[in-house]
Amino acid sequence: MRVIRVGTRKSQLARIQTDSVVATLKALYPGLQFEIIAMSTTGDKILDTALSKIGEKSLFTKELEHALEKNEVDLVVHSLKDLPTVLPPGFTIGAICKRENPHDAVVFHPKFVGKTLETLPEKSVVGTSSLRRAAQLQRKFSHLEFRSIRGNLNTRLRKLDEQQEFSAIILATAGLQRMGWHNRVGQILHPEECMYAVGQGALGVEVRAKDQDILDLVGVLHDPETLLRCIAERAFLRHLEGGCSVPVAVHTALKDGQLYLTGGVWSLDGSDSIQDTMQATIHVPAQHEDGPEDDPQLVGITARNIPRGPQLAAQNLGISLANLLLSKGAKNILDVARQLNDAH
């Protein structure tokens, strides 16, 4: 029986996410065996520094990609938001699974359960490891103080509950739901309060770009709607040249053949921002069996079983919105944010 080796980070959430993808693949391919290989990444090891300060694009992916390159694993399951918009040569995202709730959630210290960010006492400290969240929320909730908190979900929740430093922390709703911690979600932040990170809530399966066999194997996992939304989001971020060292956020919706993309950039303290929305007509395709295309990758993603037209339209929407924001001065905001972040 052929064994497919699947790479993952060691954290409990990463394992849960990988197990869910493997369970789907096992159901689709009962004749194959799957072996999960867990490893630590740079981002898992450096826990005393804010992510944006480490200045490394592939914090949570490099070691896993190294294993892919050396043929020690055949595919790797990631949170899509950890995957840079430009992948190293030789790799591609061969599947984007159906997205869970992409919004951010607030988890409160036990003594503040029942509160919202708005009703927390003046000068309450809120923990987040994300410049994107801090910039947006500082602007909206100026009575609060935002401080970096690092570690995996278990560690962050423990810091919140056992120390008196934080009144609340901000986490991705999808991660909390996958861990089965629905009861800890005290508030879900709507796009008007806090737009989400590019690709948030979706899982990406990274493979060797030339491994046609594995590409075919995982390609069936593509969720067409999630794929198109994430292509638009990733194209927007790539064209802005944003990463985790600058506050960039998005919101997408696909309804009645229209893909809506809202994107924004913020200064680090949230005082300065540029946001806008654009839409494009896109018909969500059924998967189809088409001949292979030349250079099939778009923003690091290969989806040969989804028609090319809608993918290109989604990518163009992302680029157009980035150009609109750049024409309104986004580059200056991002450059200053980058310089300030590097200086601190």
Side-chain angles (χ1 to χ4, degrees), residues 6-301:
V6 182
T8 176
R9 283 168 62 196
K10 277 184 174 161
S11 77
Q12 188 187 352
L13 176 60
R15 290 299 306 259
I16 287 171
Q17 293 179 166
T18 302
D19 289 346
S20 76
V21 170
V22 168
T24 308
L25 287 171
K26 274 182 175 162
L28 288 164
Y29 304 106
L32 294 178
Q33 213 171 344
F34 293 86
E35 180 192 347
I36 295 174
I37 298 166
M39 50 196 95
S40 291
T41 64
T42 311
D44 295 312
K45 291 169 193 159
I46 307 176
L47 290 175
D48 54 355
T49 312
L51 290 179
S52 55
K53 298 274 190 295
I54 304 172
E56 164 67 72
K57 268 222 172 88
S58 49
L59 267 182
F60 295 111
T61 58
K62 198 195 259 171
E63 284 78 359
L64 297 163
E65 283 171 345
H66 198 53
L68 253 185
E69 191 171 30
K70 295 198 303 202
N71 214 352
E72 291 167 0
V73 296
D74 301 301
L75 55 113
V76 176
V77 179
H78 301 278
S79 292
L80 185 60
K81 70 178 165 101
D82 291 339
L83 279 166
T85 55
V86 180
L87 296 183
F91 301 106
T92 189
I93 300 164
I96 294 181
C97 308
K98 189 170 172 57
R99 189 176 218 165
E100 300 232 3
N101 186 330
H103 300 285
D104 288 316
V106 189
V107 178
F108 293 92
H109 186 281
K111 70 178 179 208
F112 291 120
V113 166
K115 294 266 188 206
T116 62
L117 289 181
E118 203 147 3
T119 59
L120 276 177
E122 192 83 20
K123 297 273 183 288
S124 292
V125 176
V126 176
T128 172
S129 56
S130 151
L131 294 178
R132 169 189 63 79
R133 291 169 180 152
Q136 291 182 81
L137 294 171
Q138 253 167 312
R139 188 185 172 107
K140 271 269 185 294
F141 305 100
S142 52
H143 67 296
L144 302 175
E145 206 180 301
F146 292 86
R147 237 178 253 166
S148 177
I149 183 169
R150 287 288 321 280
N152 60 39
L153 280 188
N154 308 56
T155 308
R156 284 190 238 179
L157 280 176
R158 197 166 55 246
K159 283 182 183 172
L160 170 69
D161 292 344
E162 293 175 9
Q163 300 168 8
Q164 297 305 312
E165 184 183 356
F166 299 102
S167 302
I169 57 176
I170 316 290
L171 300 167
T173 306
L176 289 162
Q177 288 179 337
R178 289 185 185 119
M179 294 285 274
W181 293 340
H182 308 72
N183 62 329
R184 291 305 306 260
V185 176
Q187 179 182 4
I188 289 184
L189 297 170
H190 297 293
E192 309 76 60
E193 298 166 309
C194 190
M195 288 198 284
Y196 42 82
V198 165
Q200 185 159 313
L203 301 180
V205 181
E206 190 178 18
V207 301
R208 290 178 289 274
K210 299 230 179 321
D211 196 339
Q212 197 49 55
D213 206 19
I214 297 290
L215 268 168
D216 291 342
L217 184 91
V218 301
V220 294
L221 298 174
H222 270 305
D223 176 66
E225 179 175 326
T226 304
L227 170 76
L228 296 172
R229 287 171 62 189
C230 290
I231 285 176
E233 292 172 18
R234 286 173 65 83
F236 170 72
L237 181 65
R238 181 196 267 189
H239 203 67
L240 282 177
E241 292 181 354
C244 70
S245 61
V246 287
V248 175
V250 292
H251 170 63
T252 45
L254 190 51
K255 47 179 186 275
D256 303 327
Q258 293 291 311
L259 177 58
Y260 300 86
L261 171 64
T262 303
V265 302
W266 285 260
S267 58
L268 288 189
D269 66 358
S271 59
D272 212 357
S273 84
I274 298 174
Q275 297 169 57
D276 220 315
T277 303
M278 290 180 85
Q279 67 193 82
T281 303
I282 290 184
H283 295 292
V284 180
Q287 295 203 2
H288 74 155
E289 299 302 320
D290 214 51
E293 313 257 355
D294 299 337
D295 186 28
Q297 282 205 44
L298 291 183
V299 283
I301 299 161

